[in-house]
Amino acid sequence: MATMGKGILEVKLFDAKGLKDTDFFGKSDPYVIMQYRNQERKSSVARGQGSNPKWNETFKFVVQYPGTAGIPHKLVFKLMDKDTFTADDFLGEACVYVEDLILLGLEKGVGELHPAKYSVVLPDQSYSGEIRVALTFTSKVEVEDHEELGGWRDSFHHH
């Protein structure tokens, strides 16, 4: 019997270190675009924090497992530098595969990846700093489809 289920993937975005400072006029203003499958979240912009920005923000993604075949369960963190006058600069990206975390959560109720550093790389795979995140996947008891979204919020209060 294949494992199926759904739940919430919570991402704690702490900080990044050693990012390339691309801004000629003072420090860069980094932010992170997080992508999990077809969902996207955006952090705030760490204004003037340059190569060592801190965010300390939490984001939630809805997980359906296994979901669409052939699409890997991974989180992509794209680090961007907010530019006022030109297109935002791409500082690199980090990738975290979360399938094992999801399977653990479906089995145990909760799966956790403690704060850890992941390498930020450029398209040519050259190292461009690191990002620190923690991940928690909480499985959600199967609900009827019509309850799909209505039931999410309340479920956090019953532990």
Side-chain angles (χ1 to χ4, degrees):
M1 171 81 191
T3 299
M4 292 183 70
K6 55 179 71 164
I8 298 282
L9 179 62
E10 188 176 288
V11 179
K12 287 200 166 84
L13 171 66
F14 295 104
D15 47 33
K17 285 201 169 68
L19 300 179
K20 300 266 182 290
D21 222 334
T22 54
D23 226 312
F24 298 114
F25 311 104
K27 289 191 179 302
S28 53
D29 302 312
Y31 66 95
V32 184
I33 297 171
M34 282 148 273
Q35 290 165 329
Y36 169 72
R37 306 194 92 170
N38 60 346
Q39 299 168 63
E40 190 172 286
R41 307 278 182 270
K42 216 181 233 187
S43 78
S44 61
V45 175
R47 298 225 167 265
Q49 292 191 30
S51 50
N52 300 311
K54 290 184 176 52
W55 293 282
N56 295 320
E57 295 174 334
T58 302
F59 304 88
K60 291 187 170 77
F61 293 89
V62 177
V63 173
Q64 299 263 5
Y65 189 86
T68 315
I71 303 176
H73 287 273
K74 67 175 182 179
L75 266 170
V76 179
F77 297 89
K78 290 191 178 182
L79 283 94
M80 306 295 292
D81 175 17
K82 183 89 184 140
D83 270 334
T84 314
F85 303 110
T86 55
D88 295 355
D89 293 316
F90 175 65
L91 301 174
E93 70 179 35
C95 190
V96 183
Y97 287 89
V98 293
E99 185 156 8
D100 290 348
L101 176 71
I102 292 168
L103 287 169
L104 182 70
L106 291 174
E107 186 192 326
K108 296 222 158 59
V110 178
E112 268 188 285
L113 281 177
H114 294 294
K117 293 169 179 166
Y118 297 91
S119 292
V120 174
V121 296
L122 291 166
D124 65 3
Q125 296 304 304
S126 62
Y127 178 78
S128 184
E130 60 187 29
I131 185 170
R132 193 165 60 105
V133 302
L135 306 174
T136 307
F137 172 73
T138 309
S139 84
K140 171 114 176 65
V141 179
E142 203 59 57
V143 291
E144 296 298 316
D145 279 342
H146 63 83
E147 278 190 66
E148 184 96 13
L149 289 168
W152 283 113
R153 191 149 303 184
D154 307 338
S155 67
F156 287 106
H157 303 308
H158 314 304
H159 278 311

